[in-house]
Amino acid sequence: MASSASYENFEFYHASPSATSTPSATDTSGFSVRSDQDSFAYCRTNSEMSSVFTEESVYHDPSSPLAKSGGKGLPLCQASPTRLGMKQYYSHVGDEPDAEPEIDDIDLELDMMREKYSKLLLGEDMSGGGKGVCSAVALSNSITNLYATVFGQTLRLAPLPAEKKSMWKREMDWLLSVCDYIVEFVPATETFKDGTPLEVMTSRLRSDIYMSLPALKKLDNMLLQDILDSFRDTEFWYAEQGSMSKNANTKSGSFRKIVSLRTEEKWWLPVPCVPAGGISEKARKHLQQKRDNANQIHKAAMAINNSILGEMEVPEAYMSSLPKSGKACLGDSIYRHITGADKFVPEYLLDNLNIGSEHEALELADKVEASIYIWKRKVCISSMPNSKSTWNLKDLVNDKEGDKNHILAGRAESLLLCLKQRYPGLSQTTLDTTKIQDNKDVGQGILESYSRVLEGLAFNVVSWVDDVLYVDDQQKNKVLSI
């Protein structure tokens, strides 16, 4: 690796005895900082010192005590070359085929791991000028980019290729290993041999990571193994739209007109095809079961993602960009629906709006979410304690105004929730994007990005199953109509 070549003499990485094993999310001792040393109490190792002061230079220095003793002083440890350094050395020495040692998988994993963590430490600023993003954003972007690399070309119900599955598990273990060191102190009790109890403070994973990360790992495993791996020998197949034949009797072009009604906006997706009589009842039950499982995974991942986003701080830049009133944000029509009726029904409002595209739904979500924080800000301002100890007319007016704003904020929240439920594949709102970009909490950044990519994968699986069931229904109806 080119980036490692210039740093081969500076051995800032020292593999522990467990580094030869495959890293995982629970065992990351092979590439993490030693837990028995303080991070501030950094000491050079013998190999580092010997790389700076070699044995020959010390012996020829007249002021050296080893030179006065004839070189019989304390033995110096020679610098032990790294595996990457030896690989680069042998690649430039001689033309003999035996000169270069065999590089096993551990060496390759070490190289990839060093490259991954070097980019994270640089904050995606390859110039090294310190203009990179913070660690939380860098880790969030790494998980998002890894998902795009592994699943970007996965557009059908089929097992993930072994190479991509190995890449996903390996690199996710590296990125999630950071969570093993995000801890909090909790009180605990230890008992001595004589039975005397002692209250101590022990460290454990932070509560949000302790609750959410195992659940996300389980959802990840269910999506890859329980769902995608189950579609090995299927009764349906896929055909690329660009290569479909006009002959209706061919296997690849039978249902182009049927499926094109659903995929005309996403023409690049492969088209599912079924036999002439449709798929069997057993295969259909299997598809329905996996769809229900993927739908539950989608809801769980979305709930975790919404919870993490809700815990993130609202950036000050977002609050300062909001209008002063909710009416100016929502518009007259929506504002009258929210404030006019005694009993607010968000489903009725959405039906009257006639939202025709995802872009319109996302634009409405941005407006509603902005109005929520406008009214919440007014509630906070009106609930600030008055310097006077007695109540007056102005205080009563402010209290009523605060109640009104609180009710309007609650109605807007119910409208936003109903909108997201009606459009589950809705993109992130402006507030969510701003929170992710300005987030400084590493744990929240990892949990948010991990839950977001799993939510997207589960939603895609549900859509793929629906496409197959749709084609099967159309084909069976076609047979019955003959």
Side-chain angles (χ1 to χ4, degrees):
M1 185 175 57
S3 60
S4 304
S6 58
Y7 295 96
E8 61 180 303
N9 293 328
F10 299 91
E11 297 186 4
F12 51 85
Y13 172 84
H14 302 279
S16 64
S18 60
T20 57
S21 60
T22 304
S24 63
T26 58
D27 182 14
T28 58
S29 59
F31 51 89
S32 58
V33 180
R34 290 179 57 185
S35 59
D36 58 339
Q37 292 182 353
D38 194 338
S39 59
F40 295 97
Y42 175 77
C43 300
R44 289 183 179 271
T45 61
N46 289 334
S47 60
E48 289 173 326
M49 293 301 296
S50 59
S51 63
V52 179
F53 303 102
T54 60
E55 185 177 359
E56 181 180 359
S57 63
V58 173
Y59 286 164
H60 286 81
D61 186 1
S63 62
S64 174
L66 295 180
K68 296 178 183 179
S69 60
K72 296 181 180 179
L74 297 175
L76 294 177
C77 298
Q78 296 294 334
S80 57
T82 61
R83 296 178 180 179
L84 181 60
M86 290 298 295
K87 180 177 68 174
Q88 294 169 345
Y89 171 75
Y90 281 109
S91 63
H92 293 85
V93 175
D95 298 331
E96 298 150 359
D98 298 332
E100 184 174 355
E102 183 180 359
I103 305 301
D104 53 8
D105 294 339
I106 297 178
D107 294 309
L108 298 179
E109 286 194 11
L110 285 175
D111 291 347
M112 289 187 291
M113 183 176 61
R114 288 174 180 174
E115 180 181 4
K116 178 73 67 176
Y117 278 95
S118 297
K119 291 181 179 179
L120 290 176
L121 291 173
L122 290 171
E124 301 176 358
D125 178 20
M126 298 300 106
S127 66
K131 300 179 181 179
V133 297
C134 65
S135 301
V137 178
L139 283 166
S140 177
N141 293 341
S142 296
I143 294 176
T144 305
N145 295 336
L146 177 61
Y147 172 79
T149 302
V150 175
F151 297 98
Q153 300 299 323
T154 303
L155 304 174
R156 62 190 69 192
L157 291 174
L160 196 66
E163 181 180 357
K164 287 189 175 182
K165 182 185 292 186
S166 176
M167 179 183 181
W168 172 256
K169 291 184 177 180
R170 179 181 65 248
E171 298 198 14
M172 280 304 299
D173 284 344
W174 295 347
L175 297 172
L176 296 179
S177 66
V178 180
C179 294
D180 295 340
Y181 302 93
I182 303 177
V183 296
E184 61 184 2
F185 289 98
V186 294
T189 304
E190 289 187 359
T191 305
F192 290 103
K193 295 181 179 179
D194 58 355
T196 304
L198 177 65
E199 292 186 358
V200 296
M201 298 295 290
T202 59
S203 62
R204 72 172 186 185
L205 289 179
R206 206 172 67 184
S207 57
D208 56 344
I209 298 176
Y210 180 79
M211 295 295 294
S212 300
L213 188 58
L216 291 174
K217 289 181 178 180
K218 184 176 181 180
L219 297 179
D220 187 354
N221 185 70
M222 292 173 62
L223 279 172
L224 293 183
Q225 296 187 6
D226 296 348
I227 297 181
L228 289 181
D229 284 353
S230 65
F231 294 102
R232 294 189 180 275
D233 299 322
T234 59
E235 299 180 10
F236 58 89
W237 64 93
Y238 288 88
E240 301 296 336
Q241 291 196 31
S243 61
M244 300 188 74
S245 172
K246 296 181 180 180
N247 186 3
N249 295 325
T250 59
K251 191 175 183 180
S252 60
S254 306
F255 309 102
R256 188 185 193 287
K257 293 182 179 180
I258 297 175
V259 185
S260 62
L261 297 177
R262 299 193 63 196
T263 61
E264 57 184 1
E265 295 182 357
K266 298 181 179 180
W267 51 266
W268 62 89
L269 295 176
V271 179
C273 305
V274 297
I279 60 177
S280 63
E281 190 65 25
K282 179 180 179 181
R284 189 175 180 86
K285 287 183 178 180
H286 176 261
L287 280 169
Q288 190 63 47
Q289 179 185 4
K290 297 306 177 183
R291 185 200 181 280
D292 294 340
N293 294 342
N295 191 37
Q296 294 298 322
I297 293 174
H298 175 261
K299 291 181 180 179
M302 184 168 57
I304 295 176
N305 186 262
N306 291 335
S307 175
I308 299 300
L309 285 173
E311 293 176 359
M312 289 184 178
E313 296 182 0
V314 180
E316 188 63 30
Y318 177 82
M319 295 298 297
S320 60
S321 65
L322 296 178
K324 292 184 179 181
S325 65
K327 183 178 181 180
C329 184
L330 292 174
D332 294 338
S333 176
I334 301 178
Y335 183 78
R336 285 197 303 267
H337 277 85
I338 293 180
T339 59
D342 295 335
K343 184 178 181 181
F344 176 68
V345 182
E347 292 83 2
Y348 176 76
L349 175 57
L350 291 179
D351 293 337
N352 292 334
L353 291 177
N354 296 324
I355 301 174
S357 64
E358 181 181 348
H359 177 73
E360 294 179 0
L362 183 60
E363 185 178 1
L364 176 60
D366 284 334
K367 292 180 180 180
V368 174
E369 198 165 42
S371 65
I372 292 174
Y373 284 91
I374 290 174
W375 285 318
K376 284 186 175 181
R377 180 172 58 184
K378 290 184 177 181
V379 171
C380 294
I381 294 175
S382 62
S383 62
M384 293 176 63
N386 199 304
S387 57
K388 298 180 180 180
S389 58
T390 58
W391 288 88
N392 53 29
L393 181 59
K394 185 178 180 181
D395 293 331
L396 295 175
V397 171
N398 288 338
D399 187 55
K400 293 181 179 179
E401 187 70 20
D403 291 341
K404 177 184 176 182
N405 291 323
H406 182 74
I407 294 174
L408 293 178
R411 291 183 175 183
E413 286 179 342
S414 63
L415 176 61
L416 181 62
L417 178 61
C418 182
L419 181 64
K420 289 184 177 180
Q421 290 177 348
R422 182 169 294 193
Y423 302 95
L426 200 64
S427 303
Q428 290 177 333
T429 61
T430 302
L431 176 59
D432 293 342
T433 305
T434 308
K435 282 184 175 182
I436 296 171
Q437 292 175 351
D438 293 359
N439 177 46
K440 299 296 187 297
D441 190 293
V442 176
Q444 289 181 348
I446 293 176
L447 294 177
E448 189 282 326
S449 57
Y450 195 17
S451 60
R452 172 162 39 87
V453 298
L454 293 181
E455 177 186 345
L457 179 59
F459 179 79
N460 290 338
V461 171
V462 173
S463 301
W464 299 335
V465 174
D466 286 341
D467 289 340
V468 177
L469 294 177
Y470 175 83
V471 172
D472 182 58
D473 290 337
Q474 293 293 325
Q475 179 61 16
K476 289 181 179 179
N477 292 335
K478 181 180 178 181
V479 173
L480 292 176
S481 62
I482 297 177

